[in-house]
Amino acid sequence: TDSTRGNSRTLDANNTSSVPGSAITDNNNTWGEATDSSRQRAAIDAHYGMQLTWDFYRDVLGRNSIDGNGAALINNVHVNRNYNNAYWDGSQMSYGDGDGRTFSPLASIDVAGHENTHGLTERTAGLIYRNESGGLNEAMSDIMGTAIEWYASQRNPNVQFDWKVGEDIYTPGVEGDALRYMDDPTRDNYSIDHYSNYPRQTEVHGSSGIANNAFYLFVNGGTNRTSGLTVTGGVGMEKGAKIFYRALAFYMTPNTTFAQASQATLQAATDLYGANSPEVQKLKEAWTAVGVN
Ligand code: ASN
Ligand code: CA
Ligand code: ZN
Ligand code: CA
């Protein structure tokens, strides 16, 4: 239980689906020691991911937890047995341990940031989890999860920032792969990176690639594989995260489409940096590159 972060806490579901789970104890309240039980590791990872999420929301987004009012973030680990998933259920997070082949325990920083951000989206825009709004809901989680990984990498030299999602927990026996790739969403042979392909892939974890790639091009610069259009340079993660968060919290609504999301982010960028700013110009280029106008 983290008294410095609204009593957010991490609990043990004891390999059942029953949440919230039971308290996890330690003989000296110093967590992550080599001598601590290996069963604590997933809990410490989930808890660290929650702490970084809390601090990123506070320091970068200027927001007090998911509801803006300091709501405790509740994490459950060891959910089910060999469970290859992690999710937000409307009030708390659940993390499986994975089967050891497809996934190791699903508590990496980017995944924790992703799941916590489902809570943020639910308490702000309320993007409905199907159709275009569902793809945007998923993209906001990948975007903030990756921004939180970036924030962590600025503070902890052991954290490696990248544009992959879930690289540290996906297929532990395979080097270099990931669950999703924001710099080239099509690399997973499932996601799409351009709105012209939306009719072919409407599932939310695949259509998210459209907005994921727009965010990547905006923040980092790069080329969209499908259109071949290039955004030169990028505005950097901090500005990108602030703009997309402002769009989520102030302009998006439950049925927002990709085209409306583009307008929402442009309005947010205009609020923060001005209508004639390079930020607004680059953001237009990024959305154009992924086929959204
Ligand atoms: N891990 C998935 C996610 O957070 C669970 C789901 O499909 N809702 O999106
Ligand atoms: Ca200890
Ligand atoms: Zn998700
Ligand atoms: Ca990552």
Side-chain angles (χ1 to χ4, degrees):
T1 297
D2 196 330
S3 60
T4 67
R5 295 180 182 83
N7 289 325
S8 293
R9 52 198 174 271
T10 301
L11 303 162
D12 190 343
N14 301 294
N15 301 103
T16 72
S17 58
S18 172
V19 293
S22 56
I24 302 169
T25 56
D26 185 77
N27 60 354
N28 63 358
N29 201 28
T30 300
W31 301 83
E33 297 175 296
T35 51
D36 287 348
S37 137
S38 65
R39 211 176 155 78
Q40 285 187 7
R41 285 178 199 162
I44 290 165
D45 284 349
H47 199 86
Y48 186 47
M50 175 281 295
Q51 292 180 320
L52 289 162
T53 301
W54 185 282
D55 294 358
F56 168 84
Y57 287 176
R58 182 192 62 210
D59 297 346
V60 179
L61 306 184
R63 186 178 182 90
N64 186 10
S65 190
I66 56 175
D67 65 343
N69 198 28
L73 301 173
I74 314 298
N75 311 279
N76 300 280
V77 295
H78 307 305
V79 171
N80 299 327
R81 208 168 281 281
N82 300 325
Y83 183 51
N84 283 326
N85 206 356
Y87 60 91
W88 162 260
D89 72 3
S91 51
Q92 57 197 311
M93 260 75 58
S94 282
Y95 294 95
D97 289 325
D99 61 10
R101 222 171 65 99
T102 307
F103 285 105
S104 49
L106 285 91
S108 64
I109 292 167
D110 52 4
V111 171
H114 175 112
E115 301 310 339
N116 280 282
T117 299
H118 277 309
L120 173 64
T121 295
E122 193 175 287
R123 305 248 182 297
T124 53
L127 291 162
I128 293 169
Y129 206 56
R130 59 174 183 271
N131 304 329
E132 295 196 24
S133 57
L136 288 164
N137 184 320
E138 263 306 302
M140 290 308 314
S141 276
D142 281 350
I143 286 166
M144 294 306 162
T146 293
I148 290 160
E149 185 180 274
W150 165 83
Y151 175 84
S153 73
Q154 308 285 105
R155 280 153 188 78
N156 181 345
N158 295 311
V159 176
Q160 172 79 45
F161 164 72
D162 52 41
W163 288 99
K164 301 174 181 178
V165 177
E167 67 285 352
D168 293 331
I169 52 133
Y170 183 63
T171 57
V174 181
E175 195 54 43
D177 63 345
L179 203 49
R180 287 185 288 277
Y181 307 86
M182 298 175 73
D183 52 349
D184 179 9
T186 65
R187 189 173 157 190
D188 64 6
N189 294 309
Y190 179 77
S191 298
I192 55 174
D193 70 352
H194 196 272
Y195 190 68
S196 61
N197 288 320
Y198 181 72
R200 173 170 80 65
Q201 179 52 284
T202 58
E203 194 280 321
V204 297
H205 300 85
S207 65
S208 57
I210 298 167
N212 278 353
N213 196 237
F215 184 77
Y216 162 77
L217 296 172
F218 179 47
V219 165
N220 183 79
T223 303
N224 176 268
R225 178 177 285 278
T226 298
S227 69
L229 293 173
T230 295
V231 178
T232 305
V235 302
M237 187 63 88
E238 187 159 353
K239 286 180 179 174
K242 282 183 183 356
I243 290 168
F244 274 61
Y245 163 68
R246 186 174 175 84
L248 179 73
F250 293 99
Y251 296 114
M252 294 189 197
T253 59
N255 286 300
T256 292
T257 62
F258 286 107
Q260 290 167 336
S262 151
Q263 291 309 310
T265 58
L266 286 165
Q267 185 59 57
T270 300
D271 296 346
L272 294 173
Y273 302 103
N276 298 315
S277 61
E279 288 79 9
V280 167
Q281 183 52 38
K282 251 181 220 317
L283 188 52
K284 281 183 188 158
E285 291 173 24
W287 282 113
T288 299
V290 301
V292 176
N293 287 299

